[in-house]
């Protein structure tokens, strides 16, 4: 029996930077690449993920007949690790592409309204099982999250479903993964963090079955309150949502800078409706 437990978690931003330096050491890297930026964009990833990203970036460079690996190659490699392989021969019908555009625009708009995290990319190019995705880059390494910030995270997650309801008057199966993530967060708030009407309660896994009705009621309230707020915010910014979705539909991929440009051009004299 071991008398000592050793916890080995995923590396922090400084450690990720050092791991990147190890894996790009013998590769022809563009000297302008900022390793700190790569470390920031790989929040929560392990050393194995970083190794994979460095190798995938090299492969992308070779495929494009480049002699050096640049930041675009690393960006594509990160997308592949996060979102899965791009489905190049996969096409969706126009009305579904339109719905996906509004869905992803809803996530991005809620992220901007609530200022939850820096948006690095929005895409409606299918990857793995996802028809679209929004990538975020944390502005700082966080270890503690407040109750209000968790509520905002859920609102952003539900922003795509809210956008579908506002624009099309109905919701689709596209929010399956969003619902899973939102409910998992709400479950943690109730059972692990003491962030519900039950206040300072912690539920051991063995107790959850016996208290299921009480827990479910609290989860239901958190999800419903967050979704209603997402609907209100999406409705108040409906015109901007449509503009973002239209550009996304045409270009299929937008960077965070592209999104900022759209918002500024839409109406530079007004701020986003924050209710």
């Amino acid at each position: 029996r071991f008398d000592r437990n050793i916890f080995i978690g995923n590396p922090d931003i400084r450690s990720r930077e050092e791991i990147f330096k190890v894996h790009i050491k013998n590769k022809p890297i563009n000297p302008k690449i900022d390793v700190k930026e790569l470390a920031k964009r790989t929040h929560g990833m392990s050393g194995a993920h970083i190794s994979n990203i460095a190798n995938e970036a090299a492969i992308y460079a070779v495929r494009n007949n480049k002699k050096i690996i640049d930041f675009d190659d690393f960006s594509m490699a990160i997308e592949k690790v996060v979102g899965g392989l791009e489905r190049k021969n996969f096409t969706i019908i126009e009305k579904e592409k339109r719905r996906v555009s509004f869905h992803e625009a809803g996530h991005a708009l809620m992220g901007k309204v609530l200022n939850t995290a820096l948006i690095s990319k929005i895409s409606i190019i299918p990857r793995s099982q996802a028809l679209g995705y929004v990538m975020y880059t944390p502005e700082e390494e966080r270890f503690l999250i407040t109750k209000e910030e968790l509520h905002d995270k859920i609102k952003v997650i539900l922003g795509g479903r809210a956008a579908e309801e506002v624009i099309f008057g109905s919701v689709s199966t596209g929010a399956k993964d969003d619902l899973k993530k939102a409910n998992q967060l709400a479950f943690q708030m109730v059972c692990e963090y003491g962030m519900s009407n039950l206040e300072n309660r912690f539920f051991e896994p063995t107790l959850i079955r016996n208290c299921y009705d009480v827990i479910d009621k609290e989860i239901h309230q958190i999800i419903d309150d967050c979704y209603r707020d997402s609907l209100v915010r999406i409705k108040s910014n409906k015109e901007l949502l449509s503009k973002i979705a239209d550009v996304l539909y045409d270009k299929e991929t937008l960077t965070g800078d592209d999104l900022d440009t759209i918002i500024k051009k839409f109406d530079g004299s007004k701020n986003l409706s924050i209710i």
Side-chain angles (χ1 to χ4, degrees):
R1 192 177 75 178
F2 293 103
D3 60 357
R4 181 175 296 177
N5 293 323
I6 300 175
F7 173 74
I8 303 176
N10 285 335
D12 60 17
I13 187 168
R14 190 174 299 174
S15 299
R16 292 196 302 274
E17 185 179 341
E18 294 302 317
I19 294 171
F20 260 115
K21 289 178 181 178
V22 170
H23 290 293
I24 66 176
K25 187 175 181 180
N26 296 317
K27 291 181 173 65
I29 304 295
N30 187 327
K32 293 183 179 180
I33 286 180
D34 186 355
V35 180
K36 289 183 179 179
E37 181 63 24
L38 293 177
K40 184 186 293 186
R41 293 186 61 180
T42 51
H43 174 74
M45 293 190 184
S46 66
H49 285 133
I50 294 172
S51 173
N52 192 15
I53 288 169
N55 291 332
E56 289 292 340
I59 292 171
Y60 279 119
V62 171
R63 286 177 179 171
N64 292 306
N65 298 317
K66 297 179 181 178
K67 293 183 179 180
I68 59 173
I69 306 169
D70 58 29
F71 197 82
D72 288 339
D73 298 315
F74 278 103
S75 294
M76 289 189 290
I78 292 171
E79 282 189 63
K80 182 178 179 180
V81 171
V82 173
L85 192 65
E86 182 179 325
R87 299 162 73 178
K88 293 185 177 180
N89 297 321
F90 182 81
T91 57
I92 60 176
I93 59 178
E94 184 176 344
K95 67 177 182 179
E96 289 189 347
K97 182 180 177 183
R98 178 69 62 183
R99 184 180 283 269
V100 173
S101 298
F102 275 97
H103 184 102
E104 301 306 330
H107 287 308
L109 180 57
M110 284 300 296
K112 278 294 182 182
V113 169
L114 297 172
N115 194 28
T116 54
L118 187 66
I119 295 171
S120 59
K121 193 167 189 177
I122 317 166
S123 177
I124 57 170
I125 298 174
R127 283 184 178 273
S128 188
Q129 299 300 312
L131 296 179
Y133 55 93
V134 178
M135 291 184 66
Y136 301 92
T137 302
E139 293 186 19
E140 54 189 353
E141 200 86 348
R142 296 287 303 277
F143 299 98
L144 297 174
I145 306 176
T146 66
K147 178 180 178 180
E148 292 72 23
E149 289 170 334
L150 285 173
H151 275 124
D152 286 348
K153 277 181 173 289
I154 294 175
K155 291 172 187 178
V156 173
I157 291 171
L158 296 175
R161 186 178 180 90
E164 287 189 44
E165 184 171 336
V166 168
I167 299 298
F168 302 102
S170 63
V171 294
S172 72
T173 56
K176 176 184 174 182
D177 191 53
D178 296 335
L179 292 175
K180 181 179 179 181
K181 291 177 180 177
N183 277 270
Q184 285 175 337
L185 271 180
F187 175 85
Q188 289 179 302
M189 291 178 71
V190 175
C191 297
E192 300 175 13
Y193 305 146
M195 295 178 176
S196 71
N197 291 327
L198 300 177
E199 297 182 338
N200 305 315
R201 295 294 305 277
F202 178 87
F203 292 87
E204 294 284 354
T206 54
L207 297 176
I208 291 174
R209 181 178 297 178
N210 296 330
C211 305
Y212 178 78
D213 290 342
V214 176
I215 293 171
D216 184 61
K217 181 180 178 181
E218 294 300 317
I219 293 173
H220 186 273
Q221 183 171 339
I222 291 172
I223 295 295
D224 278 9
D225 287 349
C226 289
Y227 187 63
R228 280 195 294 268
D229 191 64
S230 293
L231 282 172
V232 170
R233 294 175 189 270
I234 290 292
K235 285 177 182 177
S236 64
N237 292 288
K238 184 177 178 179
E239 196 175 347
L240 176 56
L241 172 74
S242 297
K243 181 61 179 176
I244 296 171
D246 287 344
V247 178
L248 181 59
Y249 179 87
D250 292 334
K251 293 187 174 181
E252 296 190 333
T253 298
L254 297 175
T255 64
D257 290 338
D258 292 334
L259 178 62
D260 290 338
T261 300
I262 293 170
I263 294 173
K264 288 177 182 177
K265 285 185 177 180
F266 174 75
D267 193 350
S269 63
K270 295 181 181 180
N271 294 320
L272 293 177
S273 298
I274 302 176
I275 300 173

